[in-house]
Amino acid sequence: MLQTIGEWLFWERLWLPANVSWSDLEDKGDHIYPKASHLYAALPFALCLLVVRCLFERYLATPLANAWGIKDKIRLTAEQNPVLEKFFCSQTRSPSQADVTSLCKKTSWPQRRVEVWFRRRRNQYRPGLRKRFCEASWRCVFYHFAFLGGILALYDKPWFYNLREVWEGFPQQSMLPSQYWYYFLEMGFYLSLLLSLAFDVKRKDFQEQVIHHVATLTLLSFSWVSNYIRVGTLVMMLHDSSDILLEGAKVFNYAKWHQTANTMFVVFTALFMVTRLVIFPFWIIHCTWVYPMEKCSPFFGYYFFNMLLLVLQILHVYWSFLILRMFYRLVFTKLEGDLRSDEEEEDNDPPTNPKF
């Protein structure tokens, strides 16, 4: 049964153009092609990056946070209350007005005291400023080196300057060592982000983050197996270019270098809009949608690959909306933190009188 599923899953007519078979992509002399078995390497890459991240955050990011005076806010602990604790753990962390009214009757507490309890209890789950600083620092450093690696892997390639060259000789395009390392560093990174989502700072777009990481890994895996490596490297480098500025702006914002952070965010906003809403749909997707038809007839893999790119484009539109909201706040108020972060709620209430 497993053999039958495997044969169907790797059916040539699904993933390859007509008159091309997997045997045509077998290594011959100096011509080396990507294979599905290579994908197992993504897990060791991800685990190594998680180890490097832990070392980076402990020995570089944390001392830097100390040097810049980045400290966590002092949080007030929620009072002991078994009724509210049970409701908080078993039902919801953000009760509705009706729930608050019901809990007031059960605890004999006034409404404001119950609301303050839930606010403080939620804050106990939220990560501190230092943790957010360390995470943003790690992502900023990785995107920086990944982008430089992408430039080194692509600057002397003809398809970097002429997108029609992406499909020249497809799919019998020999894999280059630089492409292998660039691909699996990126795949390992996104897999490590997926593995650490439960422990990282939770953002308001948590579900979109999961969709993005899964879609990215699926896109990279499929493009590797079907030898869409040339366009895959272009997509990765395009994304890394603006992510550097976003994470850098967060780092300086957490360090309270607000002028530097605001400047970086303005540049990031412009670059994001150009790369994700102009270059990606009108250059990259146009390249994958139109140019292959000049070489071969449509096949399932062609539609599947473009569908994944469209999923990414939908996420780009959603995040553009969030970024423009942040830009509006920057221009008309001030930018503090990441709009996607599950921010800590302010607690300006005086200590609660236990006799209420």
Side-chain angles (χ1 to χ4, degrees):
M1 180 178 177
L2 291 177
Q3 183 178 0
T4 302
I5 294 175
E7 291 176 354
W8 180 85
L9 186 61
F10 289 96
W11 186 32
E12 295 166 346
R13 297 285 66 80
L14 283 177
W15 311 114
L16 298 176
N19 302 322
V20 178
S21 64
W22 294 118
S23 60
D24 296 323
L25 299 180
E26 293 180 356
D27 297 345
K28 299 173 184 176
D30 295 334
H31 294 278
I32 301 175
Y33 300 101
K35 300 175 180 62
S37 60
H38 293 163
L39 296 177
Y40 291 115
L43 182 58
F45 271 87
L47 296 177
C48 288
L49 284 172
L50 286 174
V51 172
V52 173
R53 172 182 172 177
C54 290
L55 295 174
F56 172 86
E57 292 185 357
R58 180 171 182 177
Y59 294 107
L60 291 177
T62 299
L64 184 60
N66 293 334
W68 284 354
I70 299 174
K71 299 179 181 180
D72 293 330
K73 292 182 179 179
I74 298 176
R75 296 171 176 172
L76 298 175
T77 305
E79 302 173 63
Q80 293 293 329
N81 189 302
V83 175
L84 297 182
E85 185 68 26
K86 181 179 180 181
F87 185 91
F88 182 88
C89 296
S90 62
Q91 297 193 41
T92 179
R93 298 179 181 181
S94 301
S96 64
Q97 185 60 46
D99 292 331
V100 172
T101 302
S102 175
L103 291 170
C104 288
K105 295 179 181 178
K106 293 179 181 179
T107 60
S108 299
W109 282 12
Q111 177 178 328
R112 187 164 185 80
R113 187 178 179 186
V114 172
E115 292 173 345
V116 169
W117 187 94
F118 274 96
R119 187 183 308 127
R120 293 177 178 175
R121 189 66 178 84
R122 285 192 296 270
N123 283 339
Q124 291 177 213
Y125 272 95
R126 293 188 168 93
L129 187 63
R130 290 169 66 89
K131 179 174 175 59
R132 284 182 281 171
F133 173 83
C134 290
E135 287 187 14
S137 300
W138 163 247
R139 288 193 297 266
C140 181
V141 168
F142 178 85
Y143 287 135
H144 180 81
F145 284 104
F147 179 70
L148 291 179
I151 292 292
L152 292 174
L154 288 169
Y155 81 97
D156 59 344
K157 306 301 186 296
W159 55 86
F160 185 60
Y161 306 96
N162 182 4
L163 291 179
R164 291 184 184 273
E165 291 289 333
V166 167
W167 307 104
E168 190 62 36
F170 175 81
Q172 294 168 290
Q173 299 168 336
S174 181
M175 177 185 67
L176 302 174
S178 59
Q179 293 173 325
Y180 175 87
W181 288 103
Y182 187 36
Y183 244 81
F184 280 95
L185 279 174
E186 290 276 358
M187 288 185 67
F189 177 71
Y190 283 106
L191 181 57
S192 71
L193 291 182
L194 194 61
L195 295 175
S196 63
L197 270 176
F199 309 101
D200 289 342
V201 176
K202 188 174 182 181
R203 306 185 185 283
K204 296 177 183 178
D205 62 344
F206 177 80
Q207 294 180 343
E208 289 79 5
Q209 284 284 327
V210 174
I211 294 172
H212 173 268
H213 297 338
V214 171
T216 300
L217 287 170
T218 304
L219 179 64
L220 292 175
S221 300
F222 168 72
S223 63
W224 179 263
V225 173
S226 299
N227 208 8
Y228 285 82
I229 296 178
R230 292 183 179 181
V231 69
T233 53
L234 293 173
V235 171
M236 290 187 295
M237 191 192 69
L238 189 70
H239 282 68
D240 291 339
S241 63
S242 58
D243 289 338
I244 300 171
L245 293 170
L246 174 62
E247 300 302 334
K250 291 181 187 178
V251 167
F252 287 113
N253 190 57
Y254 296 147
K256 300 189 183 304
W257 293 23
H258 295 306
Q259 190 64 40
T260 304
N262 293 345
T263 302
M264 291 185 70
F265 182 75
V266 170
V267 178
F268 159 76
T269 301
L271 186 60
F272 186 94
M273 298 303 163
V274 171
T275 55
R276 308 294 180 91
L277 299 185
V278 179
I279 296 178
F280 187 78
F282 296 108
W283 268 264
I284 302 298
I285 294 183
H286 180 268
C287 168
T288 61
W289 191 266
V290 176
Y291 295 161
M293 296 299 93
E294 299 175 358
K295 303 290 183 179
C296 58
S297 302
F299 56 101
F300 176 79
Y302 161 83
Y303 293 112
F304 183 71
F305 185 69
N306 281 285
M307 179 194 70
L308 292 175
L309 292 179
L310 289 175
V311 170
L312 284 183
Q313 184 57 36
I314 292 171
L315 292 173
H316 293 166
V317 173
Y318 170 76
W319 281 318
S320 296
F321 169 72
L322 292 181
I323 290 167
L324 289 175
R325 285 179 60 187
M326 294 175 69
F327 185 78
Y328 178 86
R329 287 171 53 189
L330 171 63
V331 173
F332 294 99
T333 55
K334 60 180 179 178
L335 176 63
E336 292 184 357
D338 180 1
L339 188 63
R340 298 180 299 157
S341 298
D342 197 1
E343 295 288 354
E344 183 168 337
E345 299 167 81
E346 295 294 334
D347 188 357
N348 297 321
D349 298 274
T352 308
N353 187 342
K355 295 182 179 180
F356 279 175

